[in-house]
Amino acid sequence: MRRRSLLIAVPAGLATLAACGDDESDAGKASDSASPSAPETGAAPPPKIVDGPLPAITAGTKFGEKPTVAKGSGDPSKQLAVKTVIAGSGKTVAEGDFVVAHYLGQVWNSAKVFDNSYDRKTPLAIQLAQGSIIDGWRYALTGKKAGSRVQMAVPPTWGYGEQGNQQAGIKGTDTLVFVVDVRDAFNAKSSAKGSEVAQDNTDLPKVGANTDGKAPSIEVPDADAPKQLVSSYVIEGDGEEVGAENSVLVQYKGVLWDGGKEFDSTYGRGQLTSFSLQQVVKGWAQGLTGKKVGSRVLIVIPPELGYGDEPPQGSGIKKDSTLVFSVDILAKL
């Protein structure tokens, strides 16, 4: 099983999308590394942001390259040391945004690397919100621009606190050094970006093509539900194609074919979500595989590729329901 980030929390939402009864899925299994989003302690007061000290990056100095970072020299600051090593020109990151980033973390005193995403070849997607990520990241990355490389030294107060993280070998007195390559940032108003595609089949639902961050309309026709999976572009992006092994960051809305009632939506929660295509119902996995990042996709899922006769309790989904989704693929992870 792929090793999970030490920083990431169990994603919010997606209660209705998790695969059921699949023993081969990683969903619901315990991680083989610690994965606290943030220590379960009271919030610390905001830190003072200082320029240093920060150890040198001795190799892997370009954006996106795995960095090598020297051991810290002397005592670290008691405050949060932050430096923009490479200034990007993309979107400005705001608190509450989801950032997609590669990173490396090590201990100041020993230069021991305790986690990095470069070796996993999978960037982290995490919300910069209290309780979702250690506070050092939240304060250090807010206001930075996508495309930036940011280095920070995080004292225990804004890291893992006095308890540290035993599984990662982090003591309660350790200051942590991170190098973070901010690839992109998204928020609850993020939408698909691309070319609108004609929706000519009157036997299929019609999905709104608005890109203002509001939930698109889904108009279900007065017709029999298709027996096979439907996956078609509403808006076609120009990003990379999603592979079956990938994770994705998305906006989505789901309605029932019978009656068109909405049963789940990131728009309603005001929060994006990310997940592995190996951890969701087969209709989602098959429907998004091969689709391009930046796209809005209509997916119609017959019961055998959805929940069949075992819908999630409390979801409002009846047995043998055909499900209709609009999905905006914001990022491939």
Side-chain angles (χ1 to χ4, degrees):
M1 183 176 66
R2 187 175 65 194
R3 186 175 183 272
R4 289 186 68 201
S5 161
L6 288 167
L7 296 166
I8 194 169
V10 175
L14 284 180
T16 58
L17 291 181
C20 298
D22 184 358
D23 292 337
E24 297 302 317
S25 170
D26 282 347
K29 292 185 181 179
S31 172
D32 55 1
S33 71
S35 55
S37 57
E40 295 181 4
T41 59
K48 179 181 179 181
I49 306 293
V50 297
D51 293 334
L54 286 163
I57 300 173
T58 58
T61 57
K62 295 180 180 180
F63 184 89
E65 290 183 341
K66 179 184 175 182
T68 300
V69 183
K71 179 181 174 181
S73 177
D75 293 330
S77 174
K78 301 294 186 184
Q79 298 296 324
L80 180 62
V82 182
K83 178 182 179 182
T84 301
V85 181
I86 298 171
S89 58
K91 289 175 275 189
T92 299
V93 177
E95 184 167 357
D97 283 359
F98 273 79
V99 293
V100 177
H102 271 302
Y103 68 95
L104 177 140
Q106 67 184 47
V107 177
W108 174 280
N109 288 332
S110 65
K112 175 191 174 185
V113 174
F114 57 83
D115 194 15
N116 90 89
S117 65
Y118 299 92
D119 288 347
R120 291 192 291 272
K121 302 186 185 304
T122 301
L124 172 70
I126 192 76
Q127 188 178 25
L128 293 185
Q130 187 175 340
S132 294
I133 191 73
I134 58 173
D135 283 340
W137 272 53
R138 186 162 62 94
Y139 289 115
L141 296 184
T142 296
K144 304 300 183 186
K145 291 182 180 292
S148 295
R149 167 167 282 191
V150 180
Q151 186 180 16
M152 66 184 88
V154 182
T157 303
W158 298 284
Y160 294 100
E162 295 179 355
Q163 75 271 31
N165 186 312
Q166 184 176 5
Q167 190 169 359
I170 298 170
K171 296 181 291 188
T173 55
D174 284 338
T175 289
L176 309 178
V177 178
F178 290 97
V179 176
V180 182
D181 288 334
V182 183
R183 294 179 51 171
D184 214 337
F186 301 92
N187 59 37
K189 297 296 183 182
S190 295
S191 287
K193 297 182 296 182
S195 303
E196 187 174 348
V197 177
Q199 301 178 68
D200 297 328
N201 191 336
T202 58
D203 291 330
L204 293 178
K206 186 171 183 180
V207 178
N210 57 296
T211 56
D212 55 1
K214 296 180 181 179
S217 59
I218 302 178
E219 300 175 6
V220 181
D222 184 13
D224 291 336
K227 301 298 184 184
Q228 303 296 321
L229 177 73
V230 173
S231 176
S232 57
Y233 286 119
V234 177
I235 296 172
E236 185 173 357
D238 60 2
E240 296 180 273
E241 290 187 359
V242 174
E245 74 285 357
N246 290 140
S247 295
V248 288
L249 179 69
V250 299
Q251 289 264 42
Y252 72 89
K253 174 181 173 180
V255 304
L256 301 174
W257 182 282
D258 292 334
K261 181 181 178 181
E262 180 180 314
F263 60 86
D264 196 11
S265 170
T266 55
Y267 301 94
R269 291 193 295 272
Q271 185 177 17
L272 307 178
T273 197
S274 63
F275 56 86
S276 167
L277 292 190
Q278 298 175 22
Q279 296 179 345
V280 289
V281 295
K282 292 179 180 179
W284 263 69
Q286 295 176 19
L288 293 183
T289 296
K291 293 296 188 282
K292 298 175 185 176
V293 172
S295 300
R296 176 169 297 164
V297 182
L298 164 69
I299 306 177
V300 182
I301 302 178
E304 61 271 20
L305 296 179
Y307 300 108
D309 60 359
E310 297 182 4
Q313 190 172 7
S315 65
I317 301 172
K318 296 179 180 179
K319 292 181 178 181
D320 298 320
S321 290
T322 295
L323 310 178
V324 181
F325 287 96
S326 168
V327 185
D328 284 13
I329 308 171
L330 302 178
K332 182 177 82 169
L333 310 174

